[in-house]
Each structure stands twice: as C-alpha cells, then as structure tokens.
C-alpha cells in the first residue's frame, strides 16, 4: 500500500467516524470508572457500616452494568 | 390504680416488640441520612472496639448539599431545552443515533455526578465515641484518611458559627484542640455545634478529664 493510498483512505474517514471512535474510547474509560465506583462503595461501606450501604452498592453495580450496556449499544448502533 | 398502668407502659417501652424492632430497622435506613445522629446502635466503624459505643455520628449539614443538588436538577432538565437551541446551533445535522447516545451519556454522567456527591457527603463523617473522636475523610475515588484522638488527649473544644445560612439552619464548625503529637480536629458545618461541644465536654467530665483553662 503506497503513501498516496493511505492518505486517500484517511481522507475518506468522515467526521462522524472520528466522533464514534472518541465516544467509544470515552465510554470504555467510563466503564472502568464505574468499576472503580463499586470498589469505592465497598471501601466506604467497610470503614463505616451504615444501613444504606447495600442499597448504594446495588446502585453502583447497576450503574456499572448500564455503562457496559451503553458501551455495547454505541458499538453496534453508531 | 394509675401507677400499675405506668409500670406496664414503662415495661413495654423497655422491651420493644418484634414489630417495633422491625419498624426501627426499616426506619433506621432513612434515619441514617440524618446529619446528626445520637447513639446510633445500627452504625459501626472499622476500628471500633467491642466495648466502644458511638455517642454521636455527624456529617455536614444537609443544606450544604444545596449547590450540587441544584446543579443536578439543572443537569437533569437541561436536555428538555435542546429543541429551543436546535435551529440556532443547527443540531438537525447530528445523526439521530448520535443524538440518542449523547442523551444517554448525559444522564449517565448526571447520575454519576449525583452519586459521587452523595457518597462524599454520606461517608465523610465525624464520630464521637465514649473513648475518642474520629474523623473519617474520603478523597477522590479510593483514598481515605482516618484520624482519631482519645478523649484524654483533648485539650480544648470550641465552636464557631458565622453567616446567614449557618445561623438560619443552625450549623457551624467544631474545633477540637489536642495534644501536640495528635492532629487537631475540625468538624466542619455540623448541625447543632453547641450540642456537640456539650456532649464531648460531658464525656470528658465523666472520664475525669479537665479541659485546658478550666479549674475544678
């Protein structure tokens, strides 16, 4: 593949393709963040044992799975 | 005789029924949202000793959450105003699938913003036990800082209140000065700071500790 072909191929990439790639990268980072939030709630709940901790942990887990769902959705529909 | 009824009532109060206990357990979940908890039996902490009892569990006053809660409400309703800006910014040109993912992401971030702020408020607590004072701080995502000082090391307890919101909602800062090798404590924006100071002072008096500057 010559330099010209690569350059022409790059020019064919549209704006929305770039947006899609950036969104996917952003969502992947967000999924990692959501995973850290679960650990954060665990850590906080370990330090202070309060009644709402199981509910907050459930929320963190749901948040993590929703973020995975949106990541996969973006992967398929964009 | 009236005395007999009083005795029965007292007995009933001392021995709660199973229903009372269940009700208490259910309500304690909501009670734990309070910023000023006295002797919360359902709360424990990591370094608690078996014979240690929590006397006060404090957080920043609920009103201190006003700013981020307002911002959260604005973030929630912001997408409803998008149609007004569509012609100005030519938002029609954005493909529908991108609009959908964008909106979903917006609400995901909004939830995350609310959740993080709530966690910060809920778990950053000040604890007064019958033995010591404890300051639990969580910074960023996974960093925690817990400091404590035994009541014996406390040299002075004072509080300050300033500003309209503080006077209106009755919250302020409690300062606990300790011996040099132990860090000083600042309970920031806690409700009823006068009661906090009074409680700590009473606990110290019960243990025979004399505050700096006081003579007995």
């Amino acid at each position: 593949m010559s330099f010209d072909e690569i350059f022409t191929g790059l020019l064919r990439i549209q704006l929305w393709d770039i947006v899609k790639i950036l969104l996917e990268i952003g969502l992947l980072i967000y999924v990692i963040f959501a995973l850290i939030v679960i650990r954060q709630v665990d850590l906080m709940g370990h330090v202070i044992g309060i009644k709402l901790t199981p509910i907050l942990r459930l929320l963190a887990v749901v948040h993590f799975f929703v973020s995975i769902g949106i990541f996969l959705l973006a992967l398929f529909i964009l | 005789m009236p005395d007999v009824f009083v005795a029965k009532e007292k007995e009933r109060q001392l021995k709660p029924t199973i229903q009372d206990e269940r009700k208490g357990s259910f309500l304690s979940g909501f009670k734990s949202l309070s910023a000023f908890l006295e002797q919360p039996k359902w709360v424990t902490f990591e370094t608690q000793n078996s014979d240690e009892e929590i006397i006060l569990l404090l957080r920043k006053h609920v009103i201190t959450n006003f700013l981020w809660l307002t911002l959260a409400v604005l973030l929630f309703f912001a997408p409803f105003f998008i149609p007004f800006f569509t012609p100005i910014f030519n938002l029609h040109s954005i493909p529908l699938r991108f609009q959908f993912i964008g909106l979903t992401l917006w609400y995901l971030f909004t939830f995350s913003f609310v959740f993080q702020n709530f966690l910060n408020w809920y778990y950053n607590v000040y604890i007064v036990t019958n033995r010591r004072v404890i300051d639990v701080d969580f910074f960023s995502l996974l960093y925690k800082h817990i400091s404590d000082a035994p009541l014996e090391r406390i040299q002075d307890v004072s509080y300050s209140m300033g500003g309209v919101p503080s006077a209106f909602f009755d919250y302020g800062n409690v300062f606990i000065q300790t011996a040099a090798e132990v860090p000083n404590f600042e309970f920031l924006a806690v409700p009823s700071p006068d009661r906090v100071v009074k409680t700590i002072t009473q606990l110290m008096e019960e243990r025979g500790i004399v505050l700096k500057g006081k003579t007995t």
Side-chain angles (χ1 to χ4, degrees):
Chain A
M1 191 181 274
S2 68
F3 177 76
D4 280 346
E5 282 172 337
I6 295 168
F7 189 71
T8 316
L10 283 173
L11 283 178
R12 278 191 197 133
I13 296 173
Q14 291 181 349
L15 171 72
W16 294 114
D17 292 330
I18 297 165
V19 173
K20 182 191 169 179
I21 293 164
L22 290 175
L23 269 175
E24 291 296 346
I25 293 168
L27 273 165
L28 196 65
I29 293 167
Y30 192 88
V31 169
I32 296 164
F33 163 74
L35 193 66
I36 294 170
V37 170
I38 296 175
R39 181 72 192 121
Q40 181 194 14
V41 176
D42 276 347
L43 193 81
M44 287 171 154
H46 182 68
V47 174
I48 313 280
I50 317 183
K51 288 265 175 183
L52 278 187
T53 301
I55 297 168
L56 294 171
R57 195 179 186 283
L58 181 73
L59 273 173
V61 172
V62 169
H63 171 243
F64 171 65
F65 283 111
V66 168
S67 63
I68 287 179
I70 294 171
F71 172 73
L72 293 174
L73 189 74
L75 206 64
F76 287 117
I77 71 166
L78 292 183
Chain B
M1 288 173 71
D3 284 346
V4 176
F5 292 108
V6 171
K8 275 183 179 175
E9 181 61 28
K10 275 183 181 170
E11 192 181 345
R12 198 199 72 78
Q13 282 174 357
L14 286 170
K15 291 178 182 174
T17 61
I18 294 167
Q19 276 182 335
D20 284 342
E21 280 174 4
R22 278 180 187 165
K23 194 179 169 186
S25 172
F26 175 74
L27 286 174
S28 60
F30 293 98
K31 275 185 191 171
S32 69
L33 287 170
S34 170
F36 190 100
L37 288 165
E38 284 179 296
Q39 293 186 302
K41 301 285 183 195
W42 61 87
V43 180
T44 55
F45 61 95
E46 199 177 19
T47 55
Q48 188 172 8
N49 296 313
S50 54
D51 58 341
E52 195 170 15
E53 188 190 349
I54 298 175
I55 307 296
L56 288 177
L57 184 116
L58 308 160
R59 293 189 184 93
K60 284 186 177 176
H61 195 284
V62 179
I63 200 70
T64 58
N65 297 322
F66 178 76
L67 200 67
W68 70 260
L69 275 172
T70 310
L71 195 58
V73 172
L74 289 174
L75 286 171
F76 183 83
F77 288 107
F80 291 89
F81 296 97
I82 286 174
F84 297 107
F85 297 101
T86 304
I88 304 166
F89 296 107
N90 196 23
L91 296 175
H92 292 295
S93 59
I94 300 172
L96 202 62
R97 58 185 198 280
F98 278 92
Q99 286 184 30
F100 175 71
I101 290 293
L103 192 68
T104 319
L105 269 175
W106 180 273
Y107 281 111
L108 201 64
F109 284 133
T110 305
F111 171 80
S112 188
F113 172 73
V114 172
F115 198 55
Q116 279 299 319
N117 276 295
F118 178 78
L119 287 178
N120 272 334
W121 173 75
Y122 192 67
Y123 284 105
N124 279 305
V125 293
Y126 310 109
I127 300 169
V128 179
T129 73
N130 54 347
R131 286 177 165 203
R132 54 189 168 148
V133 288
I134 302 148
D135 182 1
V136 181
D137 285 320
F138 289 96
F139 304 103
S140 68
L141 281 174
L142 296 170
Y143 182 74
K144 64 176 177 178
H145 181 256
I146 299 160
S147 48
D148 70 333
L151 292 174
E152 287 80 7
R153 296 292 178 93
I154 295 174
Q155 293 184 332
D156 189 34
V157 190
S158 60
Y159 74 94
S160 71
M161 289 171 77
V164 177
S166 175
F168 195 78
F169 294 103
D170 187 26
Y171 69 87
N173 304 329
V174 175
F175 304 102
I176 301 169
Q177 196 185 323
T178 56
E181 68 269 28
V182 185
N184 290 337
F185 287 79
E186 284 185 10
F187 291 0
L188 300 173
V190 290
S192 309
D194 53 329
R195 282 170 67 191
V196 177
V197 170
K198 197 178 170 185
T199 307
I200 295 171
T201 312
Q202 273 178 355
L203 282 168
M204 290 172 72
E205 281 171 2
E206 280 169 18
R207 292 175 79 89
I209 305 157
V210 183
L211 282 171
K212 197 178 85 178
K214 276 194 174 181
T215 50
T216 51

